[in-house]
Amino acid sequence: MNVYYIDPQSYNNLSLYDYSLLKNISPDFQLTYYYNDMYQLPELPPALCRCRFHYGRKKGILKALSYAGSIWGILRDAWREKPDVVHVQWIRIWLLDYLFTWLLQVRGIRVIHTAHNLLPHVRHWGDKWQYTKYYRLVDALIVHNEETRQEMISTLHIDAGKIHVIRHGMLQNPVSVVELRSRAAELRRQLGLSDQTLLFSSLGVQKPYKGTQEVVEAWMQHPELHDNPNCHLLIAGRNHGLDYSPLASCSNVTVIDDMLTDLDFEAYLSITQVVLLPYRSISQSGVVFSAVNRQVPVLVTSVGGLAEILQIGRIGWSIGKLSDNRLGTEMVRLATHPDEVRTVAAQTSEFQKIRDAHNWTQIGRQTSELYVKIVEK
């Protein structure tokens, strides 16, 4: 069976996702991997690899034209080679992607789409209509948890029979252990952290849907947090439209408004006691898997796959929906009960339950089975 796997956004954690999945697809398939020139791992997955996406460093109309040229080139390949299945990871320009899928189906090719998010985190007018139309067009959909599947059925009215739950796998950046320990010690000194300091961290690109603004508000509302010398707040990652000015007077807050290297991300994570994931909405977060790899407890909202994570392993705490306004009070409780945080961090078996449930071998097998099922349908 010939399978095209297409990921226009195969950089940062997504290159790691692609590599991990494709490495575990059945060797019986002939895989062709279409990827972005910003792919950053030192090794490509076991497939025929075609670097066709070059839009990442371009701006405006040049970016759109570059993407359109890439899609046209892949369509020509598919028309000539006629793969059995095309597996697409992301929608970039809706109209182009919709026409691309329609033409593939005209050629008799089955199309699978992985909906990493039900709808874009930053919503625009027409998104719901467009994504619904696209989801109804493709032959099969992959989502990462049952909650997203049910939401897709109830809010977008997608046929339940075409939606398949295949979990997101564990992600671990390939950084040197020696470099990590050295950098973590250096960052601990820079932040002025003692062995008794409880570090709350919000890591990665900072956008409104992640609840970071609510973290800022919670910190300032509670003197048990902003006047507490035994806890510290770290917000690290590129800021997209958030107001950090209320934190300016706090001596126990560090804000880093810049893209983090893989090494710095992992180093900050390794010195963190509680990772903050108070998302407004999410299907699944790669950060939660990074926290599991480093055995760092998490504080999450009960949305998407985050709610499922704590049902599998007791590795942190849920505050319900962000609108329940429990973020600040739970942070205060943890800041005043550091022994509870240390106890959760020491529960290796609970973290292992999540690693086992999100095993790439199983995910690769389930994806391979779906390829066969969709062709035989």
Side-chain angles (χ1 to χ4, degrees):
M1 182 183 294
N2 188 1
V3 177
Y4 279 12
Y5 181 101
I6 302 172
D7 188 356
Q9 296 183 195
S10 51
Y11 42 85
N12 298 331
N13 273 348
L14 302 181
S15 57
L16 187 56
Y17 176 92
D18 293 345
Y19 179 84
S20 302
L21 176 56
L22 292 175
K23 191 176 180 181
N24 287 280
I25 295 295
S26 170
D28 295 335
F29 297 127
Q30 179 184 338
L31 288 172
T32 302
Y33 177 40
Y34 289 91
Y35 67 102
N36 194 294
D37 61 9
M38 294 171 66
Y39 179 96
Q40 64 200 64
L41 296 182
E43 185 179 354
L44 286 163
L48 174 60
C49 298
R50 294 171 174 170
C51 182
R52 292 289 179 83
F53 293 100
H54 310 284
Y55 65 84
R57 297 178 179 85
K58 296 179 171 60
K59 303 292 184 182
I61 189 63
L62 292 178
K63 193 170 198 170
L65 289 173
S66 176
Y67 181 76
S70 300
I71 291 297
W72 171 246
I74 297 171
L75 180 62
R76 285 189 302 173
D77 290 349
W79 210 264
R80 182 179 65 255
E81 298 172 353
K82 198 183 179 187
D84 300 284
V85 174
V86 169
H87 184 179
V88 180
Q89 292 298 310
W90 295 93
I91 299 172
R92 291 297 300 163
I93 300 177
W94 178 82
L95 182 57
L96 284 176
D97 295 325
Y98 186 88
L99 290 174
F100 173 69
T101 299
W102 181 78
L103 288 168
L104 290 175
Q105 291 175 327
V106 168
R107 184 72 173 103
I109 299 167
R110 302 287 190 177
V111 180
I112 299 173
H113 178 81
T114 296
H116 294 284
N117 303 305
L118 185 66
L119 294 170
H121 295 307
V122 181
R123 304 281 172 84
H124 298 94
W125 183 88
D127 278 347
K128 185 175 181 180
W129 174 84
Q130 291 176 349
Y131 276 72
T132 299
K133 193 172 179 65
Y134 178 84
Y135 291 158
R136 289 176 179 171
L137 177 66
V138 299
D139 297 284
L141 289 155
I142 294 172
V143 297
H144 294 312
N145 53 78
E146 184 61 31
E147 182 170 322
T148 302
R149 181 177 182 272
Q150 292 302 324
E151 189 177 357
M152 186 175 278
I153 294 167
S154 61
T155 63
L156 303 184
H157 309 293
I158 305 302
D159 177 11
K162 70 163 33 177
I163 310 171
H164 305 266
V165 178
I166 300 178
R167 284 176 171 155
H168 194 299
M170 299 294 299
L171 298 177
Q172 184 169 7
N173 285 318
V175 297
S176 161
V177 174
V178 174
E179 290 181 349
L180 176 64
R181 288 175 179 169
S182 174
R183 183 58 174 156
E186 180 182 0
L187 294 176
R188 179 177 282 278
R189 288 193 297 270
Q190 289 178 5
L191 297 180
L193 305 179
S194 71
D195 291 340
Q196 287 72 45
T197 307
L198 187 73
L199 179 61
F200 294 94
S201 294
S202 177
L203 301 174
V205 175
Q206 304 295 330
K207 292 185 177 182
Y209 77 89
K210 293 188 173 183
T212 312
Q213 196 66 59
E214 284 76 7
V215 170
V216 173
E217 294 168 3
W219 197 263
M220 296 309 299
Q221 285 170 1
H222 297 276
E224 299 94 334
L225 297 173
H226 66 253
D227 287 340
N228 187 345
N230 292 320
C231 67
H232 197 100
L233 173 64
L234 169 67
I235 302 175
R238 183 68 56 80
N239 178 14
H240 290 260
L242 301 173
D243 180 14
Y244 297 153
S245 60
L247 300 172
S249 61
C250 294
S251 60
N252 64 347
V253 174
T254 300
V255 174
I256 300 169
D257 181 7
D258 201 359
M259 290 296 291
L260 300 179
T261 65
D262 289 345
L263 178 59
D264 276 4
F265 176 88
E266 294 293 336
Y268 280 125
L269 188 58
S270 71
I271 63 174
T272 294
Q273 278 69 55
V274 180
V275 175
L276 301 174
L277 298 166
Y279 284 73
R280 295 175 181 272
S281 63
I282 193 72
S283 290
Q284 192 53 275
S285 166
V287 177
V288 75
F289 296 117
S290 297
V292 170
N293 278 321
R294 297 290 167 199
Q295 203 158 319
V296 181
V298 297
L299 180 63
V300 305
T301 42
S302 58
V303 295
L306 297 180
E308 182 183 83
I309 285 287
L310 295 188
Q311 294 172 5
I312 299 170
R314 297 178 61 186
I315 64 156
W317 307 268
S318 172
I319 57 170
K321 302 294 184 183
L322 191 57
S323 57
D324 293 340
N325 297 317
R326 291 171 48 198
L327 175 61
T329 55
E330 188 65 7
M331 290 174 68
V332 168
R333 193 185 70 79
L334 295 176
T336 54
H337 294 82
D339 286 346
E340 181 180 337
V341 176
R342 286 191 282 269
T343 297
V344 171
Q347 299 298 315
T348 301
S349 61
E350 296 298 309
F351 286 89
Q352 189 59 45
K353 288 177 184 177
I354 296 172
R355 296 186 188 102
D356 292 342
H358 297 82
N359 180 277
W360 281 111
T361 301
Q362 178 178 324
I363 292 166
R365 177 180 55 77
Q366 292 172 335
T367 305
S368 301
E369 290 172 354
L370 180 58
Y371 291 163
V372 174
K373 180 179 179 180
I374 203 67
V375 169
E376 294 178 347
K377 191 174 180 180

